[in-house]
C-alpha cells in the first residue's frame, strides 16, 4: 500500500505539471495567435471569457463523474482530451474558430483540474498528512516549462500549429505513461443508502453549508490572486513610473513566491494545521498587498508583491483539500464547487478592478482584495468546523514513510 501511495503521489505531480504546461503553452502563444487570426485586444478579451466559461462547465461536469467512476478513470480521459484540445487554438483561422477552440480547451482543462485535485485528495487521505500544496506548486512549474519551450520555439519562428501539435503529442505520451501509477478507487463508504451508487447518493445529499462558505472564500482569494497577474506590472509602470522591463519583476516576484510557498506549505500545515495556513497566510497576503499599494518606491513594492505571493500560496490548496475531505463519497463534486466558484473569481478580477480605476487610482483598488484576504483570515476556522477534517487538522496517526 505504501508503494501505491508513493507512485500515486508521483502520478499526481505529473498531471498537475501537465495541466500547467498545457495552459502555459496557450498563454505564451496568445500574441502570435492573436496576430494570426487578426483580432484586436478587445475581441481577444471576449474570447478569453469562453475559455473561462468552458473551464467552469467542465469542472461542474467532471465532479460527479469523478465520484461515480473514480479519479483513476476520469483523470487520464480528461488529460487525453486536454492534449487533443491544445492543438485547436493553433489551427484557428477566425474569431469564431478560435472562440470554439478556447471553449473546448477550457472545458477539457477544467475537467482535468477537478479530476486531478480529486485524486490528490485521495492521495492525501492515504498519507494522513497534508501533501496538497506541493501538487499546486507543480502546476506553476508546468507553466515555467511552457514558458521555456515557448521562448525556444517562438525564437525560431515555429508556427503555433506545429509547436502546439508537437507539445500535444509529447503531453499525450506523458499522460499514457503515468496512467498505471494512478491509485485505484477507494471503497465506497457503507451507509443506509448502500444500495445506491456513490454518484446518486452525493447528488441526493444536501450540500454542506461549509462547502459554499469555502467556495466563497476561494472566489475571494482567487480574485486576489488574479489581481497580481492582471495588474501588478501595470501598478509598477503606471503608479511608480517603472520601465516595462522593471515592471515585469512585480509579477515575477509574486509568481516565484507563490511557487516556493506552495513547495514549503505542506510541512507547515502538518505542524500547525490548515487553519493556521489560511489564517496567517491570508493575513500576510493582506499586509503584503497594503505594502505594495502604498509603497512610494519600486523596491518596497516588489517586497510587498513577494509577501503577497507567499501569503496566498498555501491558502487555495487548503480549501480544495478541506472540500475533498468533508465527504469522501462526494469529493469530486465538492472540489468542483469550490474550484468552479474560485475560477469565477479569477475571471471577475479584471471586470471588477478595471471599472474601479475610473474613480480612484489603481493602487487604491487593491484594498478590495485586501478586504477579501482579511475576510478569509477571520473565517479560517471553517476548514475544521465539521466532523470530517483534512489531514493535519487533528490527526495524530503516523503517516506512511516515504522512500
Amino acid at each position: 500500500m505504501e508503494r501505491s501511495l508513493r507512485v500515486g503521489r508521483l502520478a499526481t505531480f505529473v498531471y498537475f505539471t501537465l495541466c500547467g504546461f498545457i495552459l502555459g503553452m496557450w498563454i505564451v502563444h496568445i500574441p502570435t495567435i492573436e496576430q494570426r487570426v487578426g483580432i484586436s485586444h478587445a475581441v481577444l478579451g471576449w474570447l478569453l471569457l469562453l475559455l473561462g466559461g468552458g473551464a467552469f462547465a467542465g469542472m461542474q461536469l467532471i465532479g460527479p463523474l469523478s465520484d461515480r467512476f473514480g479519479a483513476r478513470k476520469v483523470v487520464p480521459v480528461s488529460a487525453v482530451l486536454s492534449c487533443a484540445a491544445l492543438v485547436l487554438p493553433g489551427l484557428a483561422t477566425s474569431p469564431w474558430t478560435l472562440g470554439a477552440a478556447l471553449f473546448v480547451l477550457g472545458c477539457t482543462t477544467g475537467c482535468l483540474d477537478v479530476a486531478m485535485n480529486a485524486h490528490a485528495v485521495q492521495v492525501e487521505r492515504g498519507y494522513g498528512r497534508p501533501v496538497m500544496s506541493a501538487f499546486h506548486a507543480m502546476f506553476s512549474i508546468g507553466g515555467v516549462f511552457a514558458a521555456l519551450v515557448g521562448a525556444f520555439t517562438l525564437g525560431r519562428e515555429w508556427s503555433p500549429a506545429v509547436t502546439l501539435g508537437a507539445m500535444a503529442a509529447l503531453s499525450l505520451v506523458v499522460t499514457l505513461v503515468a496512467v498505471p501509477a494512478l491509485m485505484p478507487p477507494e471503497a465506497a463508504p457503507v451507509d443506509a443508502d448502500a444500495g445506491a451508487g456513490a454518484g446518486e447518493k452525493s447528488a441526493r445529499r444536501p450540500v454542506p453549508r461549509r462547502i459554499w462558505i469555502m467556495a466563497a472564500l476561494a472566489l475571494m482569494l482567487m480574485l486576489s490572486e488574479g489581481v497580481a497577474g492582471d495588474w501588478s506590472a501595470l501598478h509598477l509602470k503606471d503608479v511608480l513610473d517603472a520601465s516595462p522591463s522593471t515592471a515585469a519583476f512585480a509579477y515575477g516576484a509574486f509568481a516565484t513566491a507563490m511557487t516556493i510557498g506552495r513547495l514549503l506549505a505542506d510541512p507547515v500545515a502538518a505542524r500547525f494545521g490548515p487553519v493556521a495556513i489560511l489564517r496567517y497566510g491570508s493575513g500576510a497576503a493582506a499586509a503584503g498587498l497594503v505594502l505594495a499599494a502604498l509603497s512610494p518606491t519600486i523596491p518596497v513594492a516588489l517586497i510587498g508583491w513577494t509577501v503577497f505571493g507567499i501569503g496566498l500560496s498555501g491558502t487555495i490548496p487548503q480549501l480544495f483539500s478541506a472540500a475533498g475531505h468533508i465527504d469522501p463519497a462526494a469529493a469530486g463534486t465538492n472540489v468542483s464547487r469550490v474550484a468552479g466558484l474560485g475560477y469565477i473569481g479569477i475571471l471577475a478580477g479584471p471586470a471588477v478592478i478595471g471599472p474601479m480605476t475610473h474613480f480612484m487610482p489603481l493602487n487604491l483598488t487593491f484594498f478590495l482584495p485586501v478586504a477579501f484576504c482579511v475576510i478569509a483570515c477571520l473565517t479560517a476556522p471553517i476548514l475544521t468546523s465539521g466532523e470530517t477534517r483534512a489531514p493535519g487538522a487533528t490527526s495524530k496517526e503516523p503517516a506512511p514513510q516515504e522512500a
Side-chain angles (χ1 to χ4, degrees), residues 59-251:
M59 289 175 179
Q60 305 316 302
L61 171 68
I62 207 65
L65 294 178
S66 180
D67 294 330
R68 181 174 182 180
F69 298 108
R72 183 183 177 91
K73 293 183 179 179
V74 298
V75 167
V77 171
S78 299
V80 168
L81 293 176
S82 297
C83 294
L86 177 60
V87 181
L88 300 180
L91 301 176
T93 57
S94 70
W96 296 103
T97 54
L98 181 58
L102 292 181
F103 183 84
V104 173
L105 180 63
C107 186
T108 55
T109 53
C111 289
L112 178 57
D113 193 311
V114 168
M116 68 190 187
N117 271 286
H119 188 266
V121 168
Q122 183 181 345
V123 171
E124 187 175 60
R125 190 178 295 117
Y127 269 87
R129 60 180 172 83
V131 296
M132 179 67 78
S133 292
F135 295 140
H136 286 250
M138 296 308 296
F139 179 91
S140 301
I141 291 174
V144 173
F145 288 157
L148 294 175
V149 171
F152 177 84
T153 59
L154 290 170
R156 285 154 180 78
E157 298 184 350
W158 292 16
S159 73
V162 171
T163 302
L164 296 181
M167 292 304 103
L170 177 62
S171 299
L172 180 61
V173 172
V174 173
T175 294
L176 298 178
V177 169
V179 170
L182 291 169
M183 296 182 66
E186 296 175 299
V190 178
D191 57 22
D193 298 323
E200 297 171 335
K201 287 188 286 184
S202 64
R204 290 202 303 266
R205 293 171 180 165
V207 181
R209 184 172 62 94
R210 290 176 60 205
I211 289 294
W212 294 122
I213 295 175
M214 287 189 285
L217 292 177
L219 185 150
M220 295 179 192
L221 291 175
M222 292 179 78
L223 185 149
S224 301
E225 180 180 336
V227 165
D230 296 325
W231 305 105
S232 59
L234 284 174
H235 165 240
L236 259 67
K237 180 177 180 294
D238 295 346
V239 177
L240 299 176
D241 295 323
S243 66
S245 59
T246 300
F249 281 106
Y251 181 69

